[in-house]
Amino acid sequence: MSELLGSIWWLLVSIGVLVTIHEYGHYWVARRCGVKVLRFSIGFGPALWMRRGQDGTEYAIAAIPLGGYVRMLDEREGDVAASELAFAFNRQSVWKRIAIVLAGPVANLLLCVALFWGMFVIGRPDFVPVVGQAKGLAAAGGLQPGDQILAVGARETPTWSEANMALITAALDRTDVPLRIRSAGGVEGQRQLPLSRLPATFDERNAIAVIGLTPRHRLVPAVIGAVVPGKPAWGVLAEGDRVTAIDGTPIAAWDDITPLVQRLGNAGGTAMVEVQRKGERLALELQPVRARNEAGTPYWQLGIDYARPSEPVEDTVRRYGPLQAVPAALGESVHQTRELFAMIGRAFAGRVSVRNTVAGPITIGRAANSVASHGPAWYLQLLAMLSLSLGILNLLPIPILDGGHLLYYLIELAKGSPVSERVMAAGQYVGLALIASLMGLAFFNDIVNNLVN
C-alpha cells in the first residue's frame, strides 16, 4: 500500500473509531436519561448508508468522515408532539443534560485507558535509552557514550520513547533537569542536564539534536560505503572498511570522522587512519586535501562516504501482564493528560510554536500510517493519544464544543434559569469562528510541515 493510500486509510480508521466512541457516549447516556435519539451519524453530509433501529433511531454513515453527531429530540430544533415532550432533551433536568454532554469526552478518556492497556498487554517494541554520542549540553551535563538513561526528572524512562519525550518537554521549558543514569560499567549515578543554557529560539522538532544527544540506535556506523576516485582515500581505503581511529583518537560513529579530519587538515601533515577490514586491523597513512562544498565554503576531505545503514532493530519491549497493565494504563493516561494541559499552557504562553502543536488530517494520517507499520502496540498508543486529545479539547469552554454546553449548564445552575437564546446564539458565532480559525491553522500547518518542507 502506498504512503498516500495508507495515510488515507489509517486516518479514516482512526477518526472512525474515535468519533464512534465519542458519539456513542452521548447516545448511551441520552438513552439512559430517557431522551429520544433521532439519529446517530458517523460523518456529516449526505448519508452513504442508513438503517432505522427498532428504537426509532436512524443509524447512518455520512459522506464527510471528519466527525459525527447524535441528534436528539429537542423543541429548539423543531416541533415536538405533546406525547413526546417528556423525551425531549431540552425538557430534561440540568443534571441530566450535563451528564449527556459530558458522556462524549468521558467515553474518549475511558477509551484512552483501554487503548493504553491493550498497548501494554501486547507489548510495545522500543529501544533501550542508551547514549551513543554526547556533545554540547549533553556532554556538559556529564553524559557519556554507553550511559543508560533510567529517569528524566521524576519520569521513569524504560525505553527511548519515554526518555525522548521527557527531554523534549524539559527543553521546551528550558529548565535544568536531573537524570538518573547507569554507566556502561553498571554504576548508577546522577547527572544534571543544563537545559537553561539552550538558545532563546531553536527548532523544537530537533530538540534532542540541539541538546547534543544521539541515542545509540541512531548512530551511523563508521563504515565506508564509497571511496571517491582521485581523492586521498582512493586506493588506500576500501568499501566496507570500518574506521576505528584517526591519529589515535577512537571513532565510535561516522559523525566523529568529520571534525577530526578538519582538525588534521588545519594542522597539516599526514595522519594514521586505523580500520578493520575483513577481520584485520590496518593502520594506513592519509593526508586530507582542501575542497569546497556547494556553498563555496572550504573544508578538508579524505574522499569517503558512509554506508547507508539499515533500520535499527528494537532491543527491548515494554510489556505487562493483563493485571499489571491496569495501573500502568491509568498512570500513563494521567501522565499524558498532565502533559497535554502543560503543552496547551505553553502554546498560550508563547513558549512553544503552534506550528508544532496543532496538527491537521494530513499530519495525523501520515503519523497513523507510519506507526501502524511498526506494529499494533504503536498504533494503539497513537490512538490513545488522539482519543485523549479529543476528549480534553472537547471539554474546553468553547461554544459549540461539549465544554461550551457544559459552561452554559453551569451558569444555569448558578443563576437558577437557562442562558438566554440570544446569548447562546452569540456564543455559537464565537464558537464557530474559533473552531474555523483552529481548523484553518491545522490545515496551514499541514501544508507547511508536509507539502512545503
Side-chain angles (χ1 to χ4, degrees):
M1 185 182 296
S2 69
E3 182 182 1
L4 175 60
L5 292 178
S7 299
I8 294 173
W9 166 254
W10 286 111
L11 173 66
L12 294 178
V13 169
S14 302
I15 291 180
V17 170
L18 299 180
V19 169
T20 299
I21 295 300
H22 180 92
E23 298 304 333
Y24 184 77
H26 292 309
Y27 168 85
W28 190 85
V29 174
R31 293 294 305 276
R32 297 311 179 274
C33 290
V35 175
K36 183 177 181 179
V37 178
L38 302 178
R39 176 175 287 191
F40 184 120
S41 177
I42 303 303
F44 300 103
L48 301 177
W49 173 90
M50 181 187 297
R51 77 171 181 86
R52 185 182 298 273
Q54 294 181 350
D55 55 4
T57 302
E58 294 177 343
Y59 300 90
I61 297 177
I64 305 174
L66 300 179
Y69 62 92
V70 170
R71 183 190 301 159
M72 290 170 270
L73 192 67
D74 195 313
E75 291 177 280
R76 296 167 299 181
E77 297 184 5
D79 295 333
V80 177
S83 60
E84 294 190 312
L85 287 176
F87 307 114
F89 175 80
N90 64 292
R91 290 290 182 113
Q92 307 305 310
S93 70
V94 66
W95 289 110
K96 284 187 177 181
R97 282 177 278 143
I98 287 176
I100 293 169
V101 170
L102 194 60
V106 169
N108 281 124
L109 298 181
L110 293 176
L111 176 62
C112 171
V113 176
L115 291 169
F116 275 133
W117 179 86
M119 178 195 75
F120 286 132
V121 170
I122 293 173
R124 189 194 69 201
D126 210 321
F127 298 95
V128 177
V130 175
V131 176
Q133 281 185 327
K135 301 177 181 178
L137 297 180
L143 288 176
Q144 297 179 354
D147 287 347
Q148 180 178 343
I149 303 173
L150 303 177
V152 177
R155 174 69 164 169
E156 297 290 325
T157 55
T159 70
W160 171 247
S161 293
E162 282 76 29
N164 181 58
M165 290 308 302
L167 288 169
I168 290 175
T169 298
L172 293 176
D173 292 334
R174 290 174 176 76
T175 56
D176 295 347
V177 62
L179 306 180
R180 181 160 56 88
I181 63 100
R182 181 185 295 124
S183 70
V187 179
E188 292 196 15
Q190 295 285 332
R191 302 288 187 271
Q192 187 81 3
L193 203 56
L195 299 183
S196 59
R197 290 162 51 184
L198 281 167
T201 58
F202 64 90
D203 188 346
E204 299 146 5
R205 294 169 294 180
N206 295 320
I208 301 300
V210 175
I211 292 171
L213 177 62
T214 304
R216 181 179 62 187
H217 63 275
R218 287 299 178 194
L219 286 179
V220 176
V223 176
I224 296 174
V227 181
V228 181
K231 299 298 181 180
W234 182 251
V236 181
L237 301 180
E239 181 180 338
D241 286 354
R242 178 181 290 272
V243 182
T244 58
I246 293 180
D247 214 26
T249 302
I251 300 295
W254 189 267
D255 287 347
D256 295 334
I257 295 176
T258 299
L260 288 176
V261 171
Q262 303 315 301
R263 188 174 70 187
L264 291 171
N266 291 329
T270 59
M272 298 302 295
V273 178
E274 299 176 36
V275 301
Q276 285 185 344
R277 179 185 298 170
K278 297 179 180 179
E280 292 186 67
R281 191 177 184 88
L282 306 175
L284 306 168
E285 193 173 75
L286 287 171
Q287 183 174 6
V289 295
R290 198 73 159 171
R292 292 183 180 274
N293 60 21
E294 294 179 355
T297 305
Y299 71 102
W300 296 96
Q301 68 169 190
L302 295 177
I304 55 176
D305 195 8
Y306 64 89
R308 300 302 187 266
S310 58
E311 280 295 313
V313 178
E314 293 90 347
D315 53 6
T316 188
V317 177
R318 193 177 181 192
R319 178 186 289 124
Y320 300 97
L323 293 180
Q324 294 87 348
V326 174
L330 289 170
E332 188 69 14
S333 299
V334 171
H335 171 77
Q336 295 299 341
T337 299
R338 287 199 301 260
E339 289 298 305
L340 180 58
F341 277 114
M343 190 61 70
I344 293 173
R346 293 186 190 99
F348 276 107
R351 296 202 308 272
V352 61
S353 171
V354 293
R355 174 179 172 180
N356 299 323
T357 55
V358 180
I362 297 176
T363 300
I364 294 173
R366 293 185 66 179
N369 183 52
S370 175
V371 299
S373 67
H374 286 82
W378 280 98
Y379 179 67
L380 290 180
Q381 174 177 303
L382 175 66
L383 205 58
M385 297 296 296
L386 292 174
S387 188
L388 176 66
S389 299
L390 180 61
I392 296 299
L393 293 177
N394 258 286
L395 289 174
L396 294 177
I398 298 175
I400 84 170
L401 294 182
D402 293 330
H405 293 293
L406 288 174
L407 178 61
Y408 291 150
Y409 301 148
L410 292 176
I411 294 174
E412 180 178 340
L413 282 174
K415 66 193 288 281
S417 60
V419 176
S420 69
E421 292 188 8
R422 183 178 179 181
V423 170
M424 292 184 67
Q428 291 290 95
Y429 286 117
V430 172
L432 285 171
L434 289 174
I435 295 301
S437 299
L438 188 63
M439 291 179 63
L441 176 61
F443 280 107
F444 174 79
N445 287 344
D446 267 355
I447 293 170
V448 172
N449 293 335
N450 295 288
L451 302 181
V452 176
N453 289 347

